[in-house]
């Protein structure tokens, strides 16, 4: 029977698969460091395949920094850590679909790779900006031994290393680039095909971030650099120019996917333009002639043709008849030939939208543009790149925190309205929204608020390092020892507030808390080559003694690529606890010596996946029984053991 592997995916091997699918000739066999033959990429061949000219040098356009290769390798390196459920900190564990994950986001992103691959519609992050005063997480791969030895400053609750990245350090920019690069590489895999990423940043690393994002998401998937006015008064500490805005870089998974970013409903003056009406409702007239003279009979011959107007009804036809008599070409009043915006075929099929108006002796052709479309949706417009509304400035970020906590327990929280605006254009009603630098969980607040306002069921995933609060901070004085405590409490309080303001809304204000931890499995079990006989003798279980059924269940879900937000029920059958996730997505029993009656019960549920402890079966013949029972009762179930 197959074992669960409890290791994050080997991204190198998955990447080789992707290259092999596109360019099989670039795949070769090579000897690894351990002397074993393995598959690899022949980069010389690959380079040549991707170039029309002979490739003989190493020169190419590339953005690089000290440590880039190590950061790339780090993103691909599997880990055996897991997420352990923390029910006592969670809210509405049984019903919620939101997640709050405590830990270093690099590890969390690795752990989520299988379960959330291609499932996240929108990512918003507000990483440390590298101002010279920021603490950044000292990923193992960033430090030389020398740097390791000289103590780098702070530790978080779990003794994870945070160091103050001062701008006097030689690797000031490089370390930041490495930090963000490996995380974005992993985050990209989680995006849906119509996914979108918003990243807040200021001048310090904006250039570097843009280069990195161009590489990670593809330069062709860059959408815009929003200018967000967060400080209308201007920063008074600046020397020459008082900065009033920050940027938000926007990228999509696929620039051609029109579902990536939605328009916003028109309001105010834009609605006033719809000043005509008929039985279908308010509409405006838009000229059918393309005013751009670059589009003309030579460049667009299919769009240059005559239309015929019936002077009595003002209706328009592509064919001249006794009633459609007046010929009109798409020419300017002074005779320059341009073209129509619609092809003849469309003018015929959507003819009810076409009308003519006389100005002087000339006919002008228009199409009707209704405010409310036939499917009931109101006309939308593109969001503009300059965001200056008051409600998205920093004061509102602080105000939101103060309203909930009574004091400023978080420095520089983003305003909920800012993130709500992004979610309104970057997510659908049922989307998953991820923020892996979540701080005080403003993103969760914004998602709940938007759901309350538009009836959506968006789900959030917040990730945050349990970074210690400074003892002199207001947060610490208010009793919050680390930022995760602030984030979780923020969601509770914001959820209650939004619920009280929208009593009729069906809102999910709960969240399941998980914490990154070492594997549930004894080390020895996963490194059998290191197993020595004396250890074997003492080994009663391959599972660490402090781990519960729930720990094992969620590790199995992650390993098997099942979402950890799915519903979960449990039943006691013949003294054994049987877990059932999402009505049969996975059935598990982690008891020792599971009787056949329980296996029978599980197989009858016909789950997609079933999992047991290896030690659940006293002897090999019981394992064979299990296989047989499932084969008979539920042949499609995949059965594994841990
Ligand atoms: C600029 S703050 C985000 C503030 C947030 N947008 C808000 O409105 O409260 C960045 C956050 O990222 C967290 N962080 C930094 N490195 C991290 C890491 N490696 N993993 C998870 N969180 C991290 C920091 O603790 C900090 O709370």
């Amino acid at each position: 029977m197959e074992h669960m592997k409890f290791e994050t995916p080997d991204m190198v091997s998955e990447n080789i698969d992707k290259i092999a699918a596109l360019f099989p000739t670039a795949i070769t066999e090579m000897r690894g460091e351990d002397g074993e033959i393995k598959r690899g990429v022949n980069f010389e061949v690959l380079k040549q395949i991707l170039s029309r000219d002979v490739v003989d040098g190493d020169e190419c356009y590339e953005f690089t920094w000290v440590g880039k290769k190590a950061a790339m390798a780090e993103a691909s390196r599997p880990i055996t850590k897991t997420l352990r459920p923390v029910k006592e900190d969670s809210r509405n564990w049984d019903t919620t679909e939101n997640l709050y994950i405590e830990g270093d986001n690099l590890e969390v992103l690795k752990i989520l790779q299988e379960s959330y691959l291609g499932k996240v519609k929108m990512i918003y992050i507000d990483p440390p900006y590298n101002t010279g005063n920021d603490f950044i997480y000292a990923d193992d791969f960033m430090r030389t031994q020398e740097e390791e030895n000289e103590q780098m400053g702070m530790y978080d609750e779990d003794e994870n290393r945070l160091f103050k990245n001062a701008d006097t350090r030689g690797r000031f920019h490089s370390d930041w680039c490495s930090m963000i690069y490996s995380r974005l590489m992993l985050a990209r895999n989680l995006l849906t095909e119509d996914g979108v990423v918003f990243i807040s940043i200021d001048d310090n690393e904006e250039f570097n971030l843009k280069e990195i994002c161009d590489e990670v998401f593809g330069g062709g998937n860059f959408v815009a650099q929003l200018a967000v006015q967060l400080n209308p008064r201007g920063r008074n500490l600046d020397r020459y120019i008082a900065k009033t805005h920050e940027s938000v870089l926007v990228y999509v998974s696929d620039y051609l996917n029109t579902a990536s970013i939605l328009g916003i409903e028109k309001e105010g003056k834009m609605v006033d333009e719809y000043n005509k009406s008929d039985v279908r409702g308010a509409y405006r007239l838009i000229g059918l002639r393309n005013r751009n003279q670059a589009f003309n009979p030579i460049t667009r011959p299919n769009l240059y043709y005559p239309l015929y107007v019936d002077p009595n009804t003002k209706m328009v036809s592509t064919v001249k008849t006794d009633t459609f008599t007046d010929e009109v070409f798409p020419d300017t009043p002074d005779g320059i030939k341009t073209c129509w915006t619609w092809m003849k075929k469309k003018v015929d099929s959507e003819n009810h939208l076409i009308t003519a108006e006389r100005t002087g002796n000339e006919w002008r052709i228009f199409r009707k543009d209704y405010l409310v479309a036939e499917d009931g949706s109101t006309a939308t417009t593109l969001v503009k790149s300059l965001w200056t509304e008051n409600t998205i400035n920093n004061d509102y970020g602080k105000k939101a925190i103060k309203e909930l906590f009574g004091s400023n327990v978080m420095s520089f929280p983003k305003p909920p309205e800012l993130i709500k605006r992004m979610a309104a254009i970057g997510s659908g009603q049922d989307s998953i929204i991820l923020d892996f630098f979540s701080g005080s969980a403003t993103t969760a607040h914004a998602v709940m608020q938007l759901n309350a306002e538009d009836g959506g069921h968006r789900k959030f995933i917040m990730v945050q390092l349990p970074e210690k609060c400074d003892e002199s901070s207001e947060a610490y004085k208010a009793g919050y020892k680390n930022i995760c405590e602030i984030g979780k409490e923020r969601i509770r309080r914001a959820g209650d507030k939004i619920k009280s303001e929208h009593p009729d809304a069906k809102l999910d204000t709960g969240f399941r808390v998980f914490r990154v931890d070492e594997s549930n499995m004894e080390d020895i079990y996963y490194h059998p080559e290191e197993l020595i006989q004396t250890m074997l003798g003492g080994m009663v279980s391959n599972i660490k003694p402090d781990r519960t059924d729930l720990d094992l269940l969620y590790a199995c879900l992650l390993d098997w690529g099942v979402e950890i937000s799915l519903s979960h029920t449990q039943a006691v059958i013949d003294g054994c606890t049987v877990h059932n996730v999402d009505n049969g997505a996975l059935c598990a029993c982690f008891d020792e010596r599971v009787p056949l009656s329980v296996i029978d019960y599980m197989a009858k549920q016909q789950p997609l996946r079933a999992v047991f402890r290896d030690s659940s079966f006293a002897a090999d013949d019981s394992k064979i029984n299990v296989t047989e029972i499932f084969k008979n009762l539920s042949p499609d179930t995949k059965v594994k053991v841990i």
Side-chain angles (χ1 to χ4, degrees), residues 167-186:
D167 52 9
T168 46
R169 293 182 60 252
R171 287 170 45 166
F172 175 63
H173 289 292
S174 292
D175 274 350
W176 190 89
C177 288
S178 291
M179 184 278 293
I180 203 74
Y181 182 67
S182 45
R183 287 161 174 84
L184 291 179
M185 297 249 295
L186 289 161

Side-chain angles (χ1 to χ4, degrees), residues 162-325:
L162 286 161
F163 68 99
K164 192 164 186 174
N165 201 21
D167 52 9
T168 46
R169 293 182 60 252
R171 287 170 45 166
F172 175 63
H173 289 292
S174 292
D175 274 350
W176 190 89
C177 288
S178 291
M179 184 278 293
I180 203 74
Y181 182 67
S182 45
R183 287 161 174 84
L184 291 179
M185 297 249 295
L186 289 161
R188 178 197 55 187
N189 300 335
L190 305 184
L191 283 176
T192 54
E193 284 171 7
D194 56 0
V196 53
V197 187
F198 297 93
I199 309 179
S200 282
I201 196 72
D202 75 0
D203 294 355
N204 287 296
E205 296 293 348
E206 188 177 294
F207 171 82
N208 292 335
L209 180 64
K210 171 80 173 53
E211 291 282 349
I212 288 173
C213 286
D214 278 352
E215 184 180 320
V216 173
F217 301 108
N221 293 323
F222 170 69
V223 174
Q225 179 167 336
L226 306 177
V228 181
Q229 182 171 270
L230 280 153
N231 187 349
R233 291 185 294 277
R235 285 196 316 210
N236 55 14
L237 290 178
D238 288 331
R239 184 170 293 178
Y240 299 116
I241 290 182
K243 309 242 174 82
T244 55
H245 79 280
E246 290 178 4
S247 297
V248 173
L249 295 188
V250 188
Y251 283 79
V252 287
S253 303
D254 173 4
Y255 197 78
L256 297 178
N257 193 323
T258 50
S260 306
I261 298 188
L262 310 170
I264 48 167
E265 279 193 8
K266 290 187 170 178
E267 47 187 32
K269 274 191 201 147
M270 282 190 209
V271 171
D272 299 342
E273 281 177 15
Y274 293 76
N275 53 7
K276 299 190 179 308
S277 73
D278 61 15
V279 280
R280 247 203 69 189
Y283 68 88
R284 62 178 181 165
L285 289 179
I286 297 180
L288 195 69
R289 188 173 70 76
N290 191 334
R291 288 159 167 267
N292 185 341
Q293 294 183 8
F295 299 99
N296 56 49
I298 297 180
T299 60
R300 295 287 185 280
N302 290 345
L303 290 168
Y304 189 84
Y305 53 89
L307 289 172
Y308 300 95
V309 178
D310 175 346
N312 296 319
T313 61
K314 296 182 178 176
M315 286 166 73
V316 177
S317 167
T318 53
V319 187
K320 187 169 188 172
T321 65
D322 288 349
T323 46
F324 291 94
T325 51

Side-chain angles (χ1 to χ4, degrees), residues 54-233:
V54 175
V55 180
D56 51 7
D58 278 328
E59 271 181 14
C60 61
Y61 178 76
E62 192 191 7
F63 177 69
T64 193
W65 62 89
V66 180
K68 179 176 182 182
K69 284 198 180 128
M72 199 183 278
E74 176 55 37
S76 304
R77 193 174 61 83
I79 56 168
T80 55
K81 288 195 174 177
T82 191
L83 297 183
R84 295 181 68 188
V86 189
K87 252 187 154 174
E88 58 281 16
D89 283 8
S90 309
R91 189 180 232 205
N92 307 338
W93 177 278
D94 290 335
T95 50
T96 185
E97 292 184 85
N98 300 317
L99 302 177
Y100 189 94
I101 306 178
E102 301 185 10
D104 167 32
N105 50 18
L106 184 69
E107 294 178 340
V108 175
L109 289 167
K110 285 185 182 184
I111 296 170
L112 296 183
Q113 286 292 302
E114 307 258 29
S115 300
Y116 289 88
L117 183 79
K119 292 190 180 151
V120 173
K121 171 68 178 77
M122 171 182 150
I123 294 175
Y124 168 70
I125 52 167
D126 175 21
Y129 288 176
N130 214 20
T131 56
N133 289 313
D134 286 330
F135 286 99
I136 71 172
Y137 189 76
D139 293 314
D140 285 342
F141 66 93
M142 283 185 193
R143 314 266 114 243
T144 60
Q145 195 52 50
E146 224 170 87
E147 285 166 318
E148 282 295 327
N149 296 344
E150 70 181 63
Q151 188 38 269
M152 298 300 295
M154 283 190 43
Y155 285 84
D156 74 3
E157 296 261 293
D158 296 332
E159 301 304 306
N160 291 318
R161 286 145 309 160
L162 286 161
F163 68 99
K164 192 164 186 174
N165 201 21
D167 52 9
T168 46
R169 293 182 60 252
R171 287 170 45 166
F172 175 63
H173 289 292
S174 292
D175 274 350
W176 190 89
C177 288
S178 291
M179 184 278 293
I180 203 74
Y181 182 67
S182 45
R183 287 161 174 84
L184 291 179
M185 297 249 295
L186 289 161
R188 178 197 55 187
N189 300 335
L190 305 184
L191 283 176
T192 54
E193 284 171 7
D194 56 0
V196 53
V197 187
F198 297 93
I199 309 179
S200 282
I201 196 72
D202 75 0
D203 294 355
N204 287 296
E205 296 293 348
E206 188 177 294
F207 171 82
N208 292 335
L209 180 64
K210 171 80 173 53
E211 291 282 349
I212 288 173
C213 286
D214 278 352
E215 184 180 320
V216 173
F217 301 108
N221 293 323
F222 170 69
V223 174
Q225 179 167 336
L226 306 177
V228 181
Q229 182 171 270
L230 280 153
N231 187 349
R233 291 185 294 277

Side-chain angles (χ1 to χ4, degrees), residues 103-105 126 137 183 413-414 437-440 442 464-465 467:
D104 167 32
N105 50 18
D126 175 21
Y137 189 76
R183 287 161 174 84
K414 285 284 180 281
F437 285 98
S438 63
S440 62
T442 310
Q464 172 60 36
L465 194 69
E467 183 181 334

Side-chain angles (χ1 to χ4, degrees), residues 330-395:
D331 299 340
T332 65
D334 46 2
I336 296 171
K337 291 179 170 33
T338 61
C339 61
W340 302 119
T341 47
W342 285 11
M343 305 268 261
K344 244 185 189 180
K345 218 166 130 192
K346 186 155 180 184
V347 172
D348 286 333
S349 64
E350 309 269 315
N351 194 263
H352 58 290
L353 297 177
I354 304 285
T355 181
E357 297 269 318
R358 193 190 274 284
T359 31
N361 287 334
E362 306 269 341
W363 283 108
R364 289 183 62 198
I365 312 293
F366 295 91
R367 67 179 171 89
K368 290 179 180 178
D369 177 39
Y370 287 92
L371 181 60
V372 180
E374 266 162 316
D375 64 4
S377 60
T378 305
T380 57
T381 183
L382 293 184
V383 162
K384 301 206 169 63
S385 59
L386 178 65
W387 291 18
T388 54
E389 285 71 10
N390 265 340
T391 49
I392 57 165
N393 81 41
N394 274 336
D395 289 347

